[in-house]
Amino acid sequence: MIKKIGAFLACTLLAAGVSSCSGVTAPGAQASDKTITVATVAGYDDTVAVTGLWTELLSQHGYTLQTKQVDLAAGFAGIARGDLDGYLNAWLPTTHGTYIDKYKDQLNILDKPYFDNDRLVLVAPKSVPENTIEDVVNNASKYGSKIVGIEAGSGEMKILPDVLKKYNATDKLNIVAGSTPATLAALKDAAAKNKPLLAALWTPHWAFASMPIKALDDNLQGWPKPDGSYIVLSKEFAAKDTEVVKWMSNFKLTDEQYASLMLDVSQASSATDGAKKWLENPANRKAADSWFN
């Protein structure tokens, strides 16, 4: 009951930066001590996919995974306070490093990433002849002299100005902040019409399997090296729910597994339905079962 009340209070007190709560108690679950509350961010399709997978897997082991949509900075602050139990997709050491550094002594970051090839990229339709960022900078007017960006508060958007400096492109390309769904819609439209468009995205992402787009070669190495995906938990949760921490520590995804999970989730009516479809693949089911040994 204490945990249930805590979850309710977190939902109430986290008004700043929190936009919604969701979660359904699994049959037979004891919501009073088996409800886990994690942060998620609207438009972060990789986080949505991983959270959907763990929602389904934990429900099969008697737990309820409840999510709260947050601004990422507010989410890590909430985890540090113990208002939230965790976040399942922190890109470290670089992209989310500035958020984490402030609270690192108050967080439990699992030792190893479950995925180690997170890359920030600029993308364009496959139909354009330019294949490198430098190519596009040299033809900036062809792309409207702009980059269609994602959420203004994201780690990628904070890093992107430094990338443009590396390419001496600060006065050639204007960064236009928006949202991931709007960026994907613009990319889909441009790719269908064979029109030049430059946008910020990341890999892995389901968009590469569902529309004719390409990641531009970072030939001057403006982006940081690939990050790893880490699970970040509150110290209180990590101390109390050691069994779940053990399961999550065993979690590991290959590039192919991650991309296929994101694609299944993107095509499903809900993240958990997409995760269920992904788990129907015997190889994926076998991998997932091994995390619970």
Side-chain angles (χ1 to χ4, degrees), residues 57-77:
L57 291 173
L58 288 171
S59 75
Q60 296 172 3
H61 290 78
Y63 284 81
T64 295
L65 189 70
Q66 177 176 273
T67 62
K68 291 187 174 70
Q69 285 192 14
V70 299
D71 170 89
L72 199 53
F76 286 121

Side-chain angles (χ1 to χ4, degrees), residues 5-15 18 21 37 68 82-84:
I5 293 172
F8 172 77
L9 289 175
C11 201
T12 303
L13 295 174
L14 280 171
V18 174
C21 299
T37 307
K68 291 187 174 70
D83 295 333
L84 294 167

Side-chain angles (χ1 to χ4, degrees), residues 77-273:
I79 297 168
R81 290 194 303 268
D83 295 333
L84 294 167
D85 293 320
Y87 180 64
L88 304 185
N89 189 29
W91 281 35
L92 298 173
T94 304
T95 306
H96 298 153
T98 54
Y99 303 119
I100 293 286
D101 287 346
K102 185 176 180 180
Y103 305 107
K104 62 183 179 183
D105 293 336
Q106 301 161 267
L107 301 171
N108 187 303
I109 304 171
L110 298 190
D111 291 338
K112 296 180 180 178
Y114 59 83
F115 183 75
D116 59 7
N117 192 28
D118 292 317
R119 294 191 300 126
L120 303 173
V121 295
L122 290 177
V123 299
K126 281 186 175 178
S127 57
V128 303
E130 292 78 20
N131 291 314
T132 70
I133 296 176
E134 190 173 32
D135 290 342
V136 170
V137 169
N138 291 334
N139 294 276
S141 61
K142 178 177 173 181
Y143 293 80
S145 300
K146 68 178 182 182
I147 299 173
V148 179
I150 59 172
E151 289 77 6
S154 67
E156 180 167 26
M157 292 294 278
K158 294 180 183 301
I159 292 170
L160 186 51
D162 290 335
V163 177
L164 295 188
K165 288 179 182 177
K166 182 74 174 181
Y167 283 88
N168 195 27
T170 301
D171 60 348
K172 297 178 181 176
L173 290 167
N174 182 38
I175 302 170
V176 181
S179 69
T180 302
T183 297
L184 292 169
L187 273 171
K188 184 177 181 180
D189 181 68
K193 297 176 180 176
N194 295 324
K195 293 173 54 180
L197 184 108
L198 182 61
L201 203 64
W202 65 91
T203 68
H205 199 287
W206 59 263
F208 293 96
S210 65
M211 60 179 81
I213 59 174
K214 59 185 176 185
L216 296 170
D217 182 29
D218 181 19
N219 56 305
L220 297 185
Q221 299 179 333
W223 290 112
K225 293 180 179 178
D227 275 323
S229 287
Y230 287 80
I231 290 177
V232 176
L233 302 170
S234 74
K235 285 188 174 292
E236 178 186 9
F237 175 82
K240 291 173 62 177
D241 291 85
T242 55
E243 185 174 45
V244 174
V245 173
K246 177 185 175 184
W247 295 338
M248 290 183 168
S249 297
N250 292 333
F251 181 32
K252 191 75 175 176
L253 289 176
T254 64
D255 288 76
E256 182 180 2
Q257 288 170 332
Y258 208 166
S260 63
L261 172 63
M262 288 188 68
L263 183 61
D264 284 344
V265 168
S266 74
Q267 295 174 338
S269 58
S270 71
T272 51
D273 282 347

